[in-house]
Amino acid sequence: MTTRPAIRAAALLLIALLYWTLASRLAGVAEPWDARAYWYGWYPGALLLSAIGGRVIGWRAGAIVIAAQAPVMWIGGAASGPLWPLGLAILTALALPAVVVAAIARRLL
């Protein structure tokens, strides 16, 4: 079935959106990376989520998990400023380790 990978990717996107929304809401910030616990809690958790997703759908899981921050930021109002393109560039850079983690998980697990 060719739709099965698409359904898995959509499910992972939904989970990631909920994950980043939770991060933002608990920290009371519009952008998940503004949370005090981002670097020692939320981002490592996202890498773990990328590894789990990577086992199921491959390297794309890392990109999906990290990119899910963008709509959360947009809904939180962070997309209205002139720094939005820079924020997307930073998300791209943050996705690289997640993509690597997901690819490794696919091979090893």
Side-chain angles (χ1 to χ4, degrees):
M1 297 182 110
T2 58
T3 59
R4 189 170 247 175
I7 291 171
R8 290 178 179 171
L12 179 61
L13 176 60
L14 179 61
I15 291 167
L17 286 168
L18 293 171
Y19 179 80
W20 291 119
T21 299
L22 179 67
S24 291
R25 297 287 188 251
L26 288 178
V29 296
E31 301 177 13
W33 60 43
D34 285 341
R36 193 185 302 162
Y38 183 81
W39 291 108
Y40 64 85
W42 294 107
Y43 186 69
L47 294 177
L48 178 61
L49 184 57
S50 296
I52 294 166
R55 179 62 187 110
V56 177
I57 65 171
W59 66 268
R60 295 178 309 272
I64 290 169
V65 169
I66 301 303
Q69 289 180 80
V72 173
M73 292 165 49
W74 182 71
I75 290 168
S80 60
L83 294 177
W84 180 245
L86 177 61
L88 294 178
I90 292 170
L91 283 180
T92 301
L94 290 173
L96 294 176
V99 166
V100 170
V101 166
I104 291 170
R106 177 69 174 213
R107 286 187 171 262
L108 296 181
L109 300 178

